[in-house]
Amino acid sequence: MGRKGCGTFEIVITGRASHAGLEPELGVNALTEAAHQVLAIAALDRPGVGTSVTPTVASAGTASNVVPASATVVVDVRVESADEKARVEAGFAALTPRLEGAKVEVRGGIHRPPMPESAAADLFAVAERLLPGVAGVAVGGGSDGNLTAAVGVPTLDGLGAVGGGAHADHEYLLVESMVERAGLVTGLVKAIRGF
């Protein structure tokens, strides 16, 4: 029924390379700076209000004997409200280097606004008439439905396959539900054409 707003941030950290054994003090360790930034970013997480801020991918360094001159951290963000979107974006904008000589650049943002359940209410009522007992569920994943709902278009999302384990090795769909799901979508299209 509803979807969280979602986005991706990339934190690009610039330090200064030096030999890790001969002159480590001449370097600015981008990996150490990245560690500071990851802790600051993780502090933006607020699961109690439906906000997840999850560092997901990181890279740094070129060789074991070189102070890393660069690092990147990719962060997945999910929010349930516009206020949380603003808070999280402000938190990323406020990130500052902790190490002297390091630079921190923030790229990306929350590009899919939250889709409230109210955006689906009228269409879900039609779905319930067509398939009594169908369940409406708010989810954390974003879709194009976030964008249509944001401009005021009634949006019922998640009409695809029934299954579980999204994005995991054990992801599956229930083949036996496909005929019923196709019937629901067909009925919705016919009903919408009649509006």
Side-chain angles (χ1 to χ4, degrees):
M1 297 265 305
R3 288 188 176 270
K4 290 184 179 183
C6 56
T8 303
F9 289 84
E10 181 182 39
I11 314 309
V12 178
I13 297 147
T14 304
R16 184 173 54 248
S18 67
H19 193 289
L22 296 177
E23 300 174 317
E25 70 281 358
L26 297 181
V28 177
N29 194 319
L31 179 55
T32 301
E33 182 63 46
H36 287 293
Q37 297 303 319
V38 165
L39 293 175
I41 290 164
L44 296 172
D45 194 54
R46 295 281 185 276
V49 296
T51 299
S52 61
V53 180
T54 310
T56 56
V57 178
S59 63
T62 56
S64 64
N65 65 342
V66 178
V67 172
S70 63
T72 60
V73 178
V74 179
V75 184
D76 180 88
V77 175
R78 310 294 168 129
V79 296
E80 286 187 2
S81 71
D83 288 345
E84 277 297 284
K85 176 183 182 294
R87 182 188 69 80
V88 170
E89 288 180 331
F92 276 95
L95 292 175
T96 56
R98 305 290 173 90
L99 301 179
E100 186 177 340
K103 295 178 184 172
V104 174
E105 177 187 357
V106 177
R107 300 175 182 168
I110 301 172
H111 301 297
R112 293 187 186 275
M115 178 181 144
E117 292 185 38
S118 60
D122 291 342
L123 291 172
F124 186 69
V126 175
E128 286 180 308
R129 286 194 302 274
L130 294 168
L131 184 60
V134 67
V137 180
V139 297
S143 79
D144 289 344
N146 293 65
L147 303 174
T148 58
V151 295
V153 175
T155 303
L156 183 58
D157 203 354
L159 295 168
V162 176
H167 302 313
D169 290 341
H170 63 276
E171 184 172 8
Y172 67 94
L173 68 88
L174 301 173
V175 174
E176 63 273 13
S177 70
M178 297 303 288
V179 172
E180 180 180 76
R181 187 53 61 118
L184 174 60
V185 172
T186 302
L188 282 165
V189 170
K190 289 179 179 176
I192 291 167
R193 288 182 63 193
F195 280 174

